[in-house]
Amino acid sequence: QLRRTLIALLRRDRDFSAAETLSIALVHSSEQASGQNHMQTRLAMSELVHIYNDQRDYSRATNICEEVLRRSMLDLGPDYPDSRCVYAMEDMAELCDSQGNTFQSEFWLRKAFSGALKVWGKSPSTTHILDKLVCALLKNEQHQESALLRQGYSSLPDLEEA
């Protein structure tokens, strides 16, 4: 956790070289300690995704993000997705949107929303992803679907009621 905090501070200070070096070391140490597909390794890899996204190196960020999702499937099997996967799907959506690919962004937000419902149910995190999905749908001129999706979500029972 300490190294991830330092990476975040380096990113904020736009010291991407130092952040990248520390992130790569974190990935390697996580792979050694926990294995290539473990959630901690995937979390460390996501730090690299964020660094490359900040630098607008979308190709490298996308490749690593796809690898996070691939490793997730290997690690989780039928329990796929977990929270790390949902966040990686959100990252993929952001990467697509940054490159002007709103339909691919919508695709990943749909996957993230579906995963969030499975992982968290109706929660603030799921609502946040729904809000992003609704914005993507509106960008893609899908007004009716966005309204229906929001209406369907609001009709789900709250966590306390479930």
Side-chain angles (χ1 to χ4, degrees):
Q1 180 62 33
L2 181 60
R3 286 192 278 185
R4 287 188 54 237
T5 302
L6 182 54
I7 292 165
L9 290 172
L10 290 167
R11 279 180 54 218
R12 187 189 69 199
D13 291 343
R14 307 200 60 76
D15 187 349
F16 297 123
S17 178
E20 179 183 25
T21 299
L22 190 55
S23 292
I24 290 169
L26 180 59
V27 169
H28 290 305
S29 66
S30 295
E31 287 176 334
Q32 294 297 314
S34 305
Q36 281 194 324
N37 302 330
H38 191 272
M39 183 188 269
Q40 288 303 316
T41 302
R42 294 183 279 123
L43 181 60
M45 292 171 71
S46 291
E47 293 297 340
L48 279 170
V49 171
H50 297 146
I51 291 165
Y52 296 140
N53 187 27
D54 289 347
Q55 295 177 77
R56 296 188 173 133
D57 187 346
Y58 302 125
S59 177
R60 283 181 21 180
T62 299
N63 289 338
I64 293 170
C65 201
E66 287 173 344
E67 181 64 13
V68 168
L69 291 166
R70 187 189 72 75
R71 290 183 184 196
S72 299
M73 286 186 257
L74 292 172
D75 183 41
L76 299 168
D79 294 327
Y80 180 87
D82 63 7
S83 60
R84 175 61 10 225
C85 299
V86 173
Y87 293 128
M89 291 169 191
E90 246 188 309
D91 290 341
M92 285 295 293
E94 183 178 338
L95 289 165
C96 292
D97 192 57
S98 295
Q99 296 172 83
N101 191 337
T102 58
F103 290 103
Q104 195 67 19
S105 177
E106 176 192 325
F107 168 83
W108 283 108
L109 286 169
R110 286 179 186 277
K111 290 185 77 71
F113 180 63
S114 175
L117 284 171
K118 180 180 177 188
V119 173
W120 300 305
K122 189 176 182 181
S123 72
S125 294
T126 305
T127 302
H128 176 72
I129 294 170
L130 172 64
D131 291 342
K132 288 181 174 183
L133 176 55
V134 165
C135 286
L137 289 166
L138 293 174
K139 269 187 188 178
N140 293 331
E141 302 291 327
Q142 298 178 49
H143 302 280
Q144 185 176 1
E145 186 176 353
S146 68
L148 289 171
L149 192 60
R150 194 173 286 288
Q151 182 181 15
Y153 182 71
S154 67
S155 70
L156 292 175
D158 289 328
L159 289 177
E160 307 84 56
E161 298 171 17

